[in-house]
Amino acid sequence: MIVENDYPILEYSTQQDAVINPGKGEEAFPRLCIMTFFGEVMDSFLEKYPGRVIGIYISEMRHFPAYRITYNGTEICLIQAVVASGSIAMMTDWLYGRGVEVLLCCGGCGVLADIPAGDVMIPVRALRDEGASYKYLPPARYIDLQEEPVRIFEEVLTEYKIPYIECTTWTTDGFYRETRDMVEHRLRQGCQTVEMECATMAAIARFRNKVFGQLLYSGDILAGENYDNRQWNGNTPAREKLFQVTLESLLRL
């Protein structure tokens, strides 16, 4: 059934099957999967824990291999994430279709307030200011992140004595439309971070009845008069730390 709306992006199909569905391949993926935006951290990890390619996510940008790795006696899937709502939707659904049951993701984010670079952020709610989540769930302003991954993240971060901030994140696919007035508007609404994927992935997990959680680190800062990228994508210590915490959390799910 189609739920009609004056605005096409808010029209929703209740039908579960699509014309093209994420299907199973020759080899089922491990139930546990870590997805990271940090290509250099992933490459370093693969040098220590060589994996076997078990599938290829094919994109016009390039091909993204999925690896089967044994870490601390547990088989996991590892893949580098694509960027932005529409792209991450396809990759996420593809992973779930291949047998992944638990997907944890780590990435960077912009911050809307004066939060130090590299601080760990746990999204507990995402504002759905992107497109793909509306193909999986009926319209709503927010989506809550699942409680169990959040609890596990908190547990691991506490054990590692790493401070963290629970946040509402603003998921947008309008990278060049993060205007000054919109940043201030989202901050007033309670958002502390901005990124391009979280709400989408959370929506797909709910639609597919799978597990999803995400960790972020504070990257560029959009607060104040002058934008500062703080060299966020070169913050290797923050990226390595976040990957390790995500990996340890995955093993507890």
Side-chain angles (χ1 to χ4, degrees):
M1 183 182 75
I2 298 295
V3 180
E4 295 191 36
N5 193 285
D6 289 341
Y7 304 100
I9 196 170
L10 300 181
E11 291 187 323
Y12 175 71
S13 171
T14 62
Q15 192 171 24
Q16 291 291 310
D17 282 335
V19 176
I20 303 172
N21 293 292
K24 296 180 180 179
E26 294 181 1
E27 180 177 354
F29 288 4
R31 63 176 293 272
L32 301 177
C33 181
I34 180 169
M35 174 191 283
T36 180
F37 290 88
F38 315 143
E40 79 288 358
V41 176
M42 188 178 99
D43 291 343
S44 177
F45 181 77
L46 285 169
E47 290 178 3
K48 298 175 185 176
Y49 301 92
R52 178 170 60 85
V53 175
I54 54 175
I56 302 288
Y57 176 78
I58 299 174
S59 166
E60 291 288 358
M61 293 179 289
R62 68 176 178 85
H63 292 179
F64 292 79
Y67 297 90
R68 181 186 296 271
I69 292 168
T70 300
Y71 178 76
N72 285 357
T74 301
E75 282 196 338
I76 63 171
C77 177
L78 169 66
I79 193 167
Q80 183 177 352
V82 291
V83 174
S85 167
S87 295
I88 205 69
M90 290 184 286
M91 178 178 277
T92 300
D93 224 350
W94 178 75
L95 289 167
Y96 286 144
R98 291 294 299 267
V100 169
E101 295 291 332
V102 179
L103 175 61
L104 297 187
C105 181
C106 55
C109 64
V111 292
L112 311 185
D114 189 10
I115 298 171
D119 275 16
V120 176
M121 319 289 291
I122 307 177
V124 297
R125 186 172 69 162
L127 188 146
R128 295 170 61 188
D129 186 25
E130 38 67 64
S133 69
Y134 294 91
K135 310 307 175 189
Y136 290 86
L137 296 179
R141 186 170 189 82
Y142 297 101
I143 182 167
D144 291 327
L145 276 289
Q146 296 170 15
E147 293 181 0
E148 183 65 5
V150 169
R151 184 188 68 79
I152 295 296
F153 285 146
E154 293 171 342
E155 180 180 277
V156 174
L157 287 163
T158 299
E159 290 176 11
Y160 280 29
K161 296 182 170 58
I162 299 173
Y164 61 86
I165 301 171
E166 292 185 351
C167 68
T168 295
T169 189
W170 166 26
T171 305
T172 178
D173 48 17
F175 181 80
Y176 288 114
R177 294 304 300 152
E178 296 170 8
T179 61
R180 179 66 54 207
D181 57 353
M182 185 58 74
V183 167
E184 293 172 355
H185 181 60
R186 295 298 185 219
L187 183 60
R188 287 193 297 270
Q189 292 175 331
C191 297
Q192 295 126 301
T193 64
V194 59
E195 40 65 46
M196 303 183 74
E197 298 87 14
C198 185
T200 299
M201 299 175 76
I204 295 170
R206 182 180 295 180
F207 179 81
R208 299 292 184 193
N209 196 27
K210 307 291 185 180
V211 177
F212 169 72
Q214 185 164 21
L215 283 180
L216 301 167
Y217 77 92
S218 172
D220 54 340
I221 182 167
L222 286 76
E225 292 299 320
N226 298 311
Y227 168 73
D228 186 355
N229 73 4
R230 301 196 291 194
Q231 302 298 314
W232 72 270
N233 55 358
N235 192 343
T236 301
R239 293 155 83 89
E240 291 177 339
K241 175 176 67 178
L242 207 69
F243 181 86
Q244 189 62 38
V245 169
T246 306
L247 184 60
E248 295 297 333
S249 301
L250 182 68
L251 300 185
R252 303 187 188 194
L253 287 161

